[in-house]
Amino acid sequence: QLATFTYYVKYNYIIGNDFETTVGVNGQYQNHTIGDATDFPIPAYHQFDEGPFFIIKKSFGKLDLEGGARYDSRSFTGQAAYIDTTHAFYPSLYTGPNPGSAPNVTQQFAALNKTFSGATGSFGATYNFSNAFLVKANIARGFRAPSIAELSANGPDPGSQIYHVGNSSFKPEFNVQEDAGVFLTLPNVSASVEVFNNNIQNYIYQQQLLNPDGTPARNPNFPLYNIFTYVQSKARINGGEVNLDLHPVSCCIFRTR
């Protein structure tokens, strides 16, 4: 059972010689409980996100400039959980005393206390050659904190028949992306060409666990479930996009009586 509360506050104002400025903060609070579950892929946890930010815009004739900065922080508090496996097909959360020595009780999740934070920013420019043709370019640094599944998963997903395993030692993801594009807007046609390059540090993704002979590894308690673990590495994503939109406008309207 997951409850999520989000918040977003911002204030727009003009400073100096027409510098459009925005300051604000947004984030969310999550509370997840196991309740009466019989499958336990992730633990009960509390999560709190906060991200104050600052954006400023300024036009110099045909040139528009925009920059911004942000600082994100995410805090996790994951609760230790012990599972009563007396009824193999219907395991339940154990809430009794001395779970470490109770019969048929195993630890599913260890306690978790993690905080991730990082600074990000961006700077972009648009040059308007005319009302119909413009060029844009931007460079930005991004941040992403690991999710509770990536940190603490240790259980089956019946929908996919995958047994997920997290890693509590993960670091947050950071990236630097450059992108540029040209845009044309005419009465009968709109077109654009865009390219981007994205370099990511500590990229998190899932990888199937294999046995030494190359066969899929499976959890002994769930022999039909393949094990997938989360791993981190560097990653680079680049590409482009071409868009063409034709929308002819009729020049004449004929009416008859």
Side-chain angles (χ1 to χ4, degrees), residues 133-136 179-184 190-196 239-244:
F133 181 67
L134 58 89
V135 176
K136 292 183 178 181
D179 57 82
V182 293
F183 302 82
L184 177 68
S190 298
S192 64
V193 178
E194 298 177 82
V195 294
F196 72 91
E241 177 179 312
V242 178
N243 181 68
L244 178 64

Side-chain angles (χ1 to χ4, degrees), residues 206-217:
Q206 277 192 304
Q207 185 178 74
Q208 186 172 8
L209 191 63
L210 301 177
N211 294 314
D213 62 357
T215 58

Side-chain angles (χ1 to χ4, degrees), residues 146-184:
S147 69
I148 189 66
E150 294 163 346
L151 293 170
S152 297
N154 182 30
D157 176 6
S160 62
Q161 288 196 314
I162 291 176
Y163 192 98
H164 298 276
V165 178
N167 188 333
S168 61
S169 65
F170 278 160
K171 299 177 181 179
E173 296 178 340
F174 287 95
N175 81 310
V176 175
Q177 176 168 312
E178 307 91 16
D179 57 82
V182 293
F183 302 82
L184 177 68

Side-chain angles (χ1 to χ4, degrees), residues 228-241:
F228 276 72
T229 62
Y230 289 94
V231 293
Q232 278 192 314
S233 73
K234 294 181 179 180
R236 181 178 180 183
I237 305 172
N238 49 35
E241 177 179 312

